Amino acid sequence: MSDGDSSAATAAGGDRAAEIDTAGAAADATDRRRLGAVVLAVLISQVLLYPGVPDLVVALGAPAGIDAGMWFLVAEFGAFVTFAVVWGALSDALGTRVPLIVTGALGGAASYVALASLPGLGLGFGAALLVRVVGGALTIGAFSLSITLLMDLRGGNGRNMGTAGFAIGLGAAVGSVVGGSLAGLGALYPVYAGAVVLAAAGLLAATVDDRRRTAAANNSEASDSGASDSASETDGGGFRGVLARARTTPGLLVPLAFGFVDRLTAGFFALVGVYYFQDPATFGLSAAGAGATLALFFVPFALLQSPFGALSDRIGRFLPVVAGSLAYGVATVGVGVAPAYPIAAALMVLVGVCGALMAPATMALVTDLVEPEVRGAAMGLFNVFGSLGFLAGFLVGGSATGAFGYTPAFLAVGGLELAIALALLPAVRSLSPGAGVIGRLGAEG
């Protein structure tokens, strides 16, 4: 072959590679949108119930009060803790995620239908808690594996986790507003709506090209060094592999710790915030008003996730994680001591902005630190810590509020966020010292 022919062949090969990359990027973008929509739908279905929890637990046979609402939420998140890593490890072992996402979403929808049927069957609140456990075990599969599949995409870890965070925030915002309105029509209306939305999530997840994602991940792994392959064989896949990674790489515990505390505050707002804003002794809002107030947090939290996630790709994770957590803690305390509703509402917006700054960077740290073959278990582990945080938020928030009142409870939760940010500041700096002018200034300052 002549030099000219060789050059032409090389150019043609380059053109074909460019076409493949372009097609792959377009397919990734499509899957990113669809998976974001699945996460969105799962969050809507979950949060739809929150504004009406005080009336819903009574309709399901419980006595009125924050204790029943606390256990209603704890039942679901207890199942999240138990089954998040199970789903992740199973998807890693099977080499597939989409069928499991579909199963989790449709099963969760069926559990909502069963929950709404309990009052007509004459079954009490104990049966409702059991159904919540089963529904939580199924729903966490759809939620966690959808985020894991986003981790498998190209385009930047911050961007992909920003998509997940946007969907989480927007889903919570839509769910809180719509759920509050539906609760005003009837206690069980949000439950029926949640079933419909979860079923739609399962149908949409079935359109994602799971086989192509698995192939892309395998191709990426095949190009890794032999040392990485050896480490994979030593540690094993799935949950055992990511636990081994956590033991040998303590840095992985940093995003897990932040995830725990961040979700603790979210769980606190989901339970205590609803009662706080509806309590006649504080602001006396309706269920719809409480839902709209929660949306003041969730809307900026959603809209700013993607740009802040991309920002963390450019400047590093340090400044978004640490600065965001410190400001988040201060704003949380402010909500609990606000003398008037307009001030509390404005601080809820600030809480949302700070949460959007830190959340995608924290999730992206998980992706930064683990190999592709254990991503499912790693994100499952992250969601276990997050779900434990939600549980702690429910239990600590409900117990502290019942014993001491709202203000001490807000001070305790906001203070914990501040404490974890200050304690882990050196660790975050070592993991992600910062890039670019802004990132370096933040890490050095």
Side-chain angles (χ1 to χ4, degrees), residues 290-313:
T293 303
L294 291 180
L296 294 176
F297 160 70
F298 289 124
V299 168
F301 182 77
L303 296 179
L304 296 175
Q305 287 270 335
S306 186
F308 282 157
L311 177 67
S312 77
D313 285 335

mmCIF file with all atom_site columns, all heavy atoms in Angstrom, residues 290-313:
data_model
loop_
_atom_site.group_PDB
_atom_site.id
_atom_site.type_symbol
_atom_site.label_atom_id
_atom_site.label_alt_id
_atom_site.label_comp_id
_atom_site.label_asym_id
_atom_site.label_entity_id
_atom_site.label_seq_id
_atom_site.pdbx_PDB_ins_code
_atom_site.Cartn_x
_atom_site.Cartn_y
_atom_site.Cartn_z
_atom_site.occupancy
_atom_site.B_iso_or_equiv
_atom_site.pdbx_formal_charge
_atom_site.auth_seq_id
_atom_site.auth_comp_id
_atom_site.auth_asym_id
_atom_site.auth_atom_id
_atom_site.pdbx_PDB_model_num
ATOM 1   N N   . ALA A 1 290 ? -47.709 23.992 53.246 1.00 0.00 ? 290 ALA A N   1
ATOM 2   C CA  . ALA A 1 290 ? -46.485 23.330 53.677 1.00 0.00 ? 290 ALA A CA  1
ATOM 3   C C   . ALA A 1 290 ? -45.755 22.718 52.487 1.00 0.00 ? 290 ALA A C   1
ATOM 4   O O   . ALA A 1 290 ? -44.518 22.789 52.391 1.00 0.00 ? 290 ALA A O   1
ATOM 5   C CB  . ALA A 1 290 ? -46.806 22.257 54.712 1.00 0.00 ? 290 ALA A CB  1
ATOM 6   N N   . GLY A 1 291 ? -46.520 22.134 51.565 1.00 0.00 ? 291 GLY A N   1
ATOM 7   C CA  . GLY A 1 291 ? -45.900 21.574 50.360 1.00 0.00 ? 291 GLY A CA  1
ATOM 8   C C   . GLY A 1 291 ? -45.226 22.641 49.528 1.00 0.00 ? 291 GLY A C   1
ATOM 9   O O   . GLY A 1 291 ? -44.120 22.446 49.003 1.00 0.00 ? 291 GLY A O   1
ATOM 10  N N   . ALA A 1 292 ? -45.885 23.773 49.375 1.00 0.00 ? 292 ALA A N   1
ATOM 11  C CA  . ALA A 1 292 ? -45.295 24.874 48.610 1.00 0.00 ? 292 ALA A CA  1
ATOM 12  C C   . ALA A 1 292 ? -44.041 25.409 49.297 1.00 0.00 ? 292 ALA A C   1
ATOM 13  O O   . ALA A 1 292 ? -43.077 25.807 48.622 1.00 0.00 ? 292 ALA A O   1
ATOM 14  C CB  . ALA A 1 292 ? -46.323 25.990 48.446 1.00 0.00 ? 292 ALA A CB  1
ATOM 15  N N   . THR A 1 293 ? -44.027 25.403 50.619 1.00 0.00 ? 293 THR A N   1
ATOM 16  C CA  . THR A 1 293 ? -42.843 25.866 51.340 1.00 0.00 ? 293 THR A CA  1
ATOM 17  C C   . THR A 1 293 ? -41.677 24.908 51.153 1.00 0.00 ? 293 THR A C   1
ATOM 18  O O   . THR A 1 293 ? -40.536 25.333 50.979 1.00 0.00 ? 293 THR A O   1
ATOM 19  C CB  . THR A 1 293 ? -43.157 26.027 52.835 1.00 0.00 ? 293 THR A CB  1
ATOM 20  O OG1 . THR A 1 293 ? -44.258 26.931 52.993 1.00 0.00 ? 293 THR A OG1 1
ATOM 21  C CG2 . THR A 1 293 ? -41.963 26.571 53.593 1.00 0.00 ? 293 THR A CG2 1
ATOM 22  N N   . LEU A 1 294 ? -41.949 23.610 51.189 1.00 0.00 ? 294 LEU A N   1
ATOM 23  C CA  . LEU A 1 294 ? -40.896 22.645 50.888 1.00 0.00 ? 294 LEU A CA  1
ATOM 24  C C   . LEU A 1 294 ? -40.360 22.846 49.479 1.00 0.00 ? 294 LEU A C   1
ATOM 25  O O   . LEU A 1 294 ? -39.164 22.680 49.219 1.00 0.00 ? 294 LEU A O   1
ATOM 26  C CB  . LEU A 1 294 ? -41.424 21.218 51.045 1.00 0.00 ? 294 LEU A CB  1
ATOM 27  C CG  . LEU A 1 294 ? -41.748 20.739 52.466 1.00 0.00 ? 294 LEU A CG  1
ATOM 28  C CD1 . LEU A 1 294 ? -42.266 19.308 52.428 1.00 0.00 ? 294 LEU A CD1 1
ATOM 29  C CD2 . LEU A 1 294 ? -40.523 20.833 53.365 1.00 0.00 ? 294 LEU A CD2 1
ATOM 30  N N   . ALA A 1 295 ? -41.242 23.225 48.561 1.00 0.00 ? 295 ALA A N   1
ATOM 31  C CA  . ALA A 1 295 ? -40.817 23.462 47.179 1.00 0.00 ? 295 ALA A CA  1
ATOM 32  C C   . ALA A 1 295 ? -39.864 24.648 47.074 1.00 0.00 ? 295 ALA A C   1
ATOM 33  O O   . ALA A 1 295 ? -39.046 24.707 46.147 1.00 0.00 ? 295 ALA A O   1
ATOM 34  C CB  . ALA A 1 295 ? -42.029 23.691 46.282 1.00 0.00 ? 295 ALA A CB  1
ATOM 35  N N   . LEU A 1 296 ? -39.941 25.601 48.000 1.00 0.00 ? 296 LEU A N   1
ATOM 36  C CA  . LEU A 1 296 ? -38.990 26.714 48.001 1.00 0.00 ? 296 LEU A CA  1
ATOM 37  C C   . LEU A 1 296 ? -37.561 26.214 48.170 1.00 0.00 ? 296 LEU A C   1
ATOM 38  O O   . LEU A 1 296 ? -36.611 26.839 47.688 1.00 0.00 ? 296 LEU A O   1
ATOM 39  C CB  . LEU A 1 296 ? -39.326 27.694 49.120 1.00 0.00 ? 296 LEU A CB  1
ATOM 40  C CG  . LEU A 1 296 ? -40.643 28.458 48.990 1.00 0.00 ? 296 LEU A CG  1
ATOM 41  C CD1 . LEU A 1 296 ? -40.871 29.308 50.235 1.00 0.00 ? 296 LEU A CD1 1
ATOM 42  C CD2 . LEU A 1 296 ? -40.654 29.317 47.737 1.00 0.00 ? 296 LEU A CD2 1
ATOM 43  N N   . PHE A 1 297 ? -37.405 25.104 48.852 1.00 0.00 ? 297 PHE A N   1
ATOM 44  C CA  . PHE A 1 297 ? -36.109 24.448 48.952 1.00 0.00 ? 297 PHE A CA  1
ATOM 45  C C   . PHE A 1 297 ? -35.806 23.626 47.711 1.00 0.00 ? 297 PHE A C   1
ATOM 46  O O   . PHE A 1 297 ? -34.719 23.722 47.128 1.00 0.00 ? 297 PHE A O   1
ATOM 47  C CB  . PHE A 1 297 ? -36.071 23.563 50.200 1.00 0.00 ? 297 PHE A CB  1
ATOM 48  C CG  . PHE A 1 297 ? -35.007 22.500 50.181 1.00 0.00 ? 297 PHE A CG  1
ATOM 49  C CD1 . PHE A 1 297 ? -33.668 22.839 50.281 1.00 0.00 ? 297 PHE A CD1 1
ATOM 50  C CD2 . PHE A 1 297 ? -35.337 21.160 50.068 1.00 0.00 ? 297 PHE A CD2 1
ATOM 51  C CE1 . PHE A 1 297 ? -32.678 21.860 50.265 1.00 0.00 ? 297 PHE A CE1 1
ATOM 52  C CE2 . PHE A 1 297 ? -34.365 20.179 50.048 1.00 0.00 ? 297 PHE A CE2 1
ATOM 53  C CZ  . PHE A 1 297 ? -33.036 20.529 50.144 1.00 0.00 ? 297 PHE A CZ  1
ATOM 54  N N   . PHE A 1 298 ? -36.773 22.815 47.278 1.00 0.00 ? 298 PHE A N   1
ATOM 55  C CA  . PHE A 1 298 ? -36.503 21.838 46.232 1.00 0.00 ? 298 PHE A CA  1
ATOM 56  C C   . PHE A 1 298 ? -36.329 22.455 44.845 1.00 0.00 ? 298 PHE A C   1
ATOM 57  O O   . PHE A 1 298 ? -35.587 21.904 44.022 1.00 0.00 ? 298 PHE A O   1
ATOM 58  C CB  . PHE A 1 298 ? -37.625 20.790 46.196 1.00 0.00 ? 298 PHE A CB  1
ATOM 59  C CG  . PHE A 1 298 ? -37.616 19.865 47.378 1.00 0.00 ? 298 PHE A CG  1
ATOM 60  C CD1 . PHE A 1 298 ? -38.736 19.730 48.176 1.00 0.00 ? 298 PHE A CD1 1
ATOM 61  C CD2 . PHE A 1 298 ? -36.479 19.139 47.695 1.00 0.00 ? 298 PHE A CD2 1
ATOM 62  C CE1 . PHE A 1 298 ? -38.734 18.870 49.275 1.00 0.00 ? 298 PHE A CE1 1
ATOM 63  C CE2 . PHE A 1 298 ? -36.458 18.281 48.781 1.00 0.00 ? 298 PHE A CE2 1
ATOM 64  C CZ  . PHE A 1 298 ? -37.594 18.140 49.578 1.00 0.00 ? 298 PHE A CZ  1
ATOM 65  N N   . VAL A 1 299 ? -36.982 23.571 44.544 1.00 0.00 ? 299 VAL A N   1
ATOM 66  C CA  . VAL A 1 299 ? -36.865 24.155 43.203 1.00 0.00 ? 299 VAL A CA  1
ATOM 67  C C   . VAL A 1 299 ? -35.440 24.641 42.913 1.00 0.00 ? 299 VAL A C   1
ATOM 68  O O   . VAL A 1 299 ? -34.841 24.236 41.906 1.00 0.00 ? 299 VAL A O   1
ATOM 69  C CB  . VAL A 1 299 ? -37.908 25.271 42.994 1.00 0.00 ? 299 VAL A CB  1
ATOM 70  C CG1 . VAL A 1 299 ? -37.598 26.060 41.726 1.00 0.00 ? 299 VAL A CG1 1
ATOM 71  C CG2 . VAL A 1 299 ? -39.313 24.678 42.908 1.00 0.00 ? 299 VAL A CG2 1
ATOM 72  N N   . PRO A 1 300 ? -34.846 25.510 43.753 1.00 0.00 ? 300 PRO A N   1
ATOM 73  C CA  . PRO A 1 300 ? -33.451 25.871 43.468 1.00 0.00 ? 300 PRO A CA  1
ATOM 74  C C   . PRO A 1 300 ? -32.509 24.684 43.600 1.00 0.00 ? 300 PRO A C   1
ATOM 75  O O   . PRO A 1 300 ? -31.513 24.600 42.873 1.00 0.00 ? 300 PRO A O   1
ATOM 76  C CB  . PRO A 1 300 ? -33.140 26.951 44.525 1.00 0.00 ? 300 PRO A CB  1
ATOM 77  C CG  . PRO A 1 300 ? -34.151 26.771 45.596 1.00 0.00 ? 300 PRO A CG  1
ATOM 78  C CD  . PRO A 1 300 ? -35.374 26.259 44.919 1.00 0.00 ? 300 PRO A CD  1
ATOM 79  N N   . PHE A 1 301 ? -32.820 23.775 44.489 1.00 0.00 ? 301 PHE A N   1
ATOM 80  C CA  . PHE A 1 301 ? -32.015 22.565 44.624 1.00 0.00 ? 301 PHE A CA  1
ATOM 81  C C   . PHE A 1 301 ? -31.990 21.800 43.305 1.00 0.00 ? 301 PHE A C   1
ATOM 82  O O   . PHE A 1 301 ? -30.953 21.254 42.895 1.00 0.00 ? 301 PHE A O   1
ATOM 83  C CB  . PHE A 1 301 ? -32.589 21.701 45.738 1.00 0.00 ? 301 PHE A CB  1
ATOM 84  C CG  . PHE A 1 301 ? -31.827 20.431 46.016 1.00 0.00 ? 301 PHE A CG  1
ATOM 85  C CD1 . PHE A 1 301 ? -30.633 20.476 46.725 1.00 0.00 ? 301 PHE A CD1 1
ATOM 86  C CD2 . PHE A 1 301 ? -32.302 19.202 45.589 1.00 0.00 ? 301 PHE A CD2 1
ATOM 87  C CE1 . PHE A 1 301 ? -29.928 19.301 46.986 1.00 0.00 ? 301 PHE A CE1 1
ATOM 88  C CE2 . PHE A 1 301 ? -31.607 18.037 45.844 1.00 0.00 ? 301 PHE A CE2 1
ATOM 89  C CZ  . PHE A 1 301 ? -30.416 18.087 46.551 1.00 0.00 ? 301 PHE A CZ  1
ATOM 90  N N   . ALA A 1 302 ? -33.120 21.761 42.609 1.00 0.00 ? 302 ALA A N   1
ATOM 91  C CA  . ALA A 1 302 ? -33.199 21.055 41.334 1.00 0.00 ? 302 ALA A CA  1
ATOM 92  C C   . ALA A 1 302 ? -32.542 21.836 40.203 1.00 0.00 ? 302 ALA A C   1
ATOM 93  O O   . ALA A 1 302 ? -31.704 21.318 39.469 1.00 0.00 ? 302 ALA A O   1
ATOM 94  C CB  . ALA A 1 302 ? -34.668 20.784 40.994 1.00 0.00 ? 302 ALA A CB  1
ATOM 95  N N   . LEU A 1 303 ? -32.899 23.106 40.071 1.00 0.00 ? 303 LEU A N   1
ATOM 96  C CA  . LEU A 1 303 ? -32.460 23.883 38.914 1.00 0.00 ? 303 LEU A CA  1
ATOM 97  C C   . LEU A 1 303 ? -30.944 24.101 38.885 1.00 0.00 ? 303 LEU A C   1
ATOM 98  O O   . LEU A 1 303 ? -30.361 24.252 37.803 1.00 0.00 ? 303 LEU A O   1
ATOM 99  C CB  . LEU A 1 303 ? -33.182 25.228 38.897 1.00 0.00 ? 303 LEU A CB  1
ATOM 100 C CG  . LEU A 1 303 ? -34.696 25.185 38.708 1.00 0.00 ? 303 LEU A CG  1
ATOM 101 C CD1 . LEU A 1 303 ? -35.285 26.589 38.727 1.00 0.00 ? 303 LEU A CD1 1
ATOM 102 C CD2 . LEU A 1 303 ? -35.065 24.478 37.402 1.00 0.00 ? 303 LEU A CD2 1
ATOM 103 N N   . LEU A 1 304 ? -30.311 24.116 40.037 1.00 0.00 ? 304 LEU A N   1
ATOM 104 C CA  . LEU A 1 304 ? -28.886 24.432 40.099 1.00 0.00 ? 304 LEU A CA  1
ATOM 105 C C   . LEU A 1 304 ? -27.996 23.195 40.161 1.00 0.00 ? 304 LEU A C   1
ATOM 106 O O   . LEU A 1 304 ? -26.764 23.323 40.139 1.00 0.00 ? 304 LEU A O   1
ATOM 107 C CB  . LEU A 1 304 ? -28.611 25.327 41.312 1.00 0.00 ? 304 LEU A CB  1
ATOM 108 C CG  . LEU A 1 304 ? -29.271 26.710 41.278 1.00 0.00 ? 304 LEU A CG  1
ATOM 109 C CD1 . LEU A 1 304 ? -29.030 27.450 42.589 1.00 0.00 ? 304 LEU A CD1 1
ATOM 110 C CD2 . LEU A 1 304 ? -28.755 27.526 40.097 1.00 0.00 ? 304 LEU A CD2 1
ATOM 111 N N   . GLN A 1 305 ? -28.582 22.009 40.228 1.00 0.00 ? 305 GLN A N   1
ATOM 112 C CA  . GLN A 1 305 ? -27.777 20.791 40.335 1.00 0.00 ? 305 GLN A CA  1
ATOM 113 C C   . GLN A 1 305 ? -26.848 20.608 39.139 1.00 0.00 ? 305 GLN A C   1
ATOM 114 O O   . GLN A 1 305 ? -25.645 20.357 39.295 1.00 0.00 ? 305 GLN A O   1
ATOM 115 C CB  . GLN A 1 305 ? -28.697 19.576 40.445 1.00 0.00 ? 305 GLN A CB  1
ATOM 116 C CG  . GLN A 1 305 ? -29.394 19.428 41.758 1.00 0.00 ? 305 GLN A CG  1
ATOM 117 C CD  . GLN A 1 305 ? -28.608 18.618 42.754 1.00 0.00 ? 305 GLN A CD  1
ATOM 118 O OE1 . GLN A 1 305 ? -27.787 17.793 42.380 1.00 0.00 ? 305 GLN A OE1 1
ATOM 119 N NE2 . GLN A 1 305 ? -28.849 18.844 44.028 1.00 0.00 ? 305 GLN A NE2 1
ATOM 120 N N   . SER A 1 306 ? -27.403 20.695 37.945 1.00 0.00 ? 306 SER A N   1
ATOM 121 C CA  . SER A 1 306 ? -26.585 20.427 36.757 1.00 0.00 ? 306 SER A CA  1
ATOM 122 C C   . SER A 1 306 ? -25.456 21.435 36.587 1.00 0.00 ? 306 SER A C   1
ATOM 123 O O   . SER A 1 306 ? -24.299 21.042 36.387 1.00 0.00 ? 306 SER A O   1
ATOM 124 C CB  . SER A 1 306 ? -27.485 20.382 35.513 1.00 0.00 ? 306 SER A CB  1
ATOM 125 O OG  . SER A 1 306 ? -26.746 19.988 34.380 1.00 0.00 ? 306 SER A OG  1
ATOM 126 N N   . PRO A 1 307 ? -25.723 22.753 36.651 1.00 0.00 ? 307 PRO A N   1
ATOM 127 C CA  . PRO A 1 307 ? -24.593 23.684 36.527 1.00 0.00 ? 307 PRO A CA  1
ATOM 128 C C   . PRO A 1 307 ? -23.581 23.566 37.651 1.00 0.00 ? 307 PRO A C   1
ATOM 129 O O   . PRO A 1 307 ? -22.371 23.668 37.420 1.00 0.00 ? 307 PRO A O   1
ATOM 130 C CB  . PRO A 1 307 ? -25.264 25.067 36.520 1.00 0.00 ? 307 PRO A CB  1
ATOM 131 C CG  . PRO A 1 307 ? -26.637 24.862 37.064 1.00 0.00 ? 307 PRO A CG  1
ATOM 132 C CD  . PRO A 1 307 ? -27.015 23.472 36.701 1.00 0.00 ? 307 PRO A CD  1
ATOM 133 N N   . PHE A 1 308 ? -24.033 23.315 38.871 1.00 0.00 ? 308 PHE A N   1
ATOM 134 C CA  . PHE A 1 308 ? -23.081 23.154 39.968 1.00 0.00 ? 308 PHE A CA  1
ATOM 135 C C   . PHE A 1 308 ? -22.304 21.842 39.836 1.00 0.00 ? 308 PHE A C   1
ATOM 136 O O   . PHE A 1 308 ? -21.126 21.762 40.226 1.00 0.00 ? 308 PHE A O   1
ATOM 137 C CB  . PHE A 1 308 ? -23.791 23.209 41.319 1.00 0.00 ? 308 PHE A CB  1
ATOM 138 C CG  . PHE A 1 308 ? -24.136 24.606 41.769 1.00 0.00 ? 308 PHE A CG  1
ATOM 139 C CD1 . PHE A 1 308 ? -25.152 24.824 42.688 1.00 0.00 ? 308 PHE A CD1 1
ATOM 140 C CD2 . PHE A 1 308 ? -23.451 25.705 41.287 1.00 0.00 ? 308 PHE A CD2 1
ATOM 141 C CE1 . PHE A 1 308 ? -25.478 26.111 43.116 1.00 0.00 ? 308 PHE A CE1 1
ATOM 142 C CE2 . PHE A 1 308 ? -23.757 26.996 41.706 1.00 0.00 ? 308 PHE A CE2 1
ATOM 143 C CZ  . PHE A 1 308 ? -24.770 27.193 42.617 1.00 0.00 ? 308 PHE A CZ  1
ATOM 144 N N   . GLY A 1 309 ? -22.944 20.805 39.319 1.00 0.00 ? 309 GLY A N   1
ATOM 145 C CA  . GLY A 1 309 ? -22.232 19.555 39.083 1.00 0.00 ? 309 GLY A CA  1
ATOM 146 C C   . GLY A 1 309 ? -21.137 19.729 38.043 1.00 0.00 ? 309 GLY A C   1
ATOM 147 O O   . GLY A 1 309 ? -20.012 19.250 38.205 1.00 0.00 ? 309 GLY A O   1
ATOM 148 N N   . ALA A 1 310 ? -21.469 20.424 36.949 1.00 0.00 ? 310 ALA A N   1
ATOM 149 C CA  . ALA A 1 310 ? -20.455 20.709 35.927 1.00 0.00 ? 310 ALA A CA  1
ATOM 150 C C   . ALA A 1 310 ? -19.349 21.599 36.481 1.00 0.00 ? 310 ALA A C   1
ATOM 151 O O   . ALA A 1 310 ? -18.170 21.445 36.142 1.00 0.00 ? 310 ALA A O   1
ATOM 152 C CB  . ALA A 1 310 ? -21.114 21.376 34.725 1.00 0.00 ? 310 ALA A CB  1
ATOM 153 N N   . LEU A 1 311 ? -19.711 22.542 37.364 1.00 0.00 ? 311 LEU A N   1
ATOM 154 C CA  . LEU A 1 311 ? -18.705 23.394 37.995 1.00 0.00 ? 311 LEU A CA  1
ATOM 155 C C   . LEU A 1 311 ? -17.720 22.568 38.805 1.00 0.00 ? 311 LEU A C   1
ATOM 156 O O   . LEU A 1 311 ? -16.503 22.826 38.779 1.00 0.00 ? 311 LEU A O   1
ATOM 157 C CB  . LEU A 1 311 ? -19.401 24.414 38.908 1.00 0.00 ? 311 LEU A CB  1
ATOM 158 C CG  . LEU A 1 311 ? -18.486 25.348 39.717 1.00 0.00 ? 311 LEU A CG  1
ATOM 159 C CD1 . LEU A 1 311 ? -17.740 26.290 38.779 1.00 0.00 ? 311 LEU A CD1 1
ATOM 160 C CD2 . LEU A 1 311 ? -19.299 26.140 40.740 1.00 0.00 ? 311 LEU A CD2 1
ATOM 161 N N   . SER A 1 312 ? -18.206 21.550 39.496 1.00 0.00 ? 312 SER A N   1
ATOM 162 C CA  . SER A 1 312 ? -17.302 20.715 40.292 1.00 0.00 ? 312 SER A CA  1
ATOM 163 C C   . SER A 1 312 ? -16.355 19.915 39.412 1.00 0.00 ? 312 SER A C   1
ATOM 164 O O   . SER A 1 312 ? -15.258 19.550 39.851 1.00 0.00 ? 312 SER A O   1
ATOM 165 C CB  . SER A 1 312 ? -18.105 19.778 41.204 1.00 0.00 ? 312 SER A CB  1
ATOM 166 O OG  . SER A 1 312 ? -18.639 18.685 40.499 1.00 0.00 ? 312 SER A OG  1
ATOM 167 N N   . ASP A 1 313 ? -16.760 19.616 38.163 1.00 0.00 ? 313 ASP A N   1
ATOM 168 C CA  . ASP A 1 313 ? -15.837 18.976 37.230 1.00 0.00 ? 313 ASP A CA  1
ATOM 169 C C   . ASP A 1 313 ? -14.680 19.905 36.880 1.00 0.00 ? 313 ASP A C   1
ATOM 170 O O   . ASP A 1 313 ? -13.559 19.455 36.636 1.00 0.00 ? 313 ASP A O   1
ATOM 171 C CB  . ASP A 1 313 ? -16.561 18.577 35.942 1.00 0.00 ? 313 ASP A CB  1
ATOM 172 C CG  . ASP A 1 313 ? -17.441 17.343 36.113 1.00 0.00 ? 313 ASP A CG  1
ATOM 173 O OD1 . ASP A 1 313 ? -17.155 16.531 37.012 1.00 0.00 ? 313 ASP A OD1 1
ATOM 174 O OD2 . ASP A 1 313 ? -18.397 17.193 35.340 1.00 0.00 ? 313 ASP A OD2 1
#
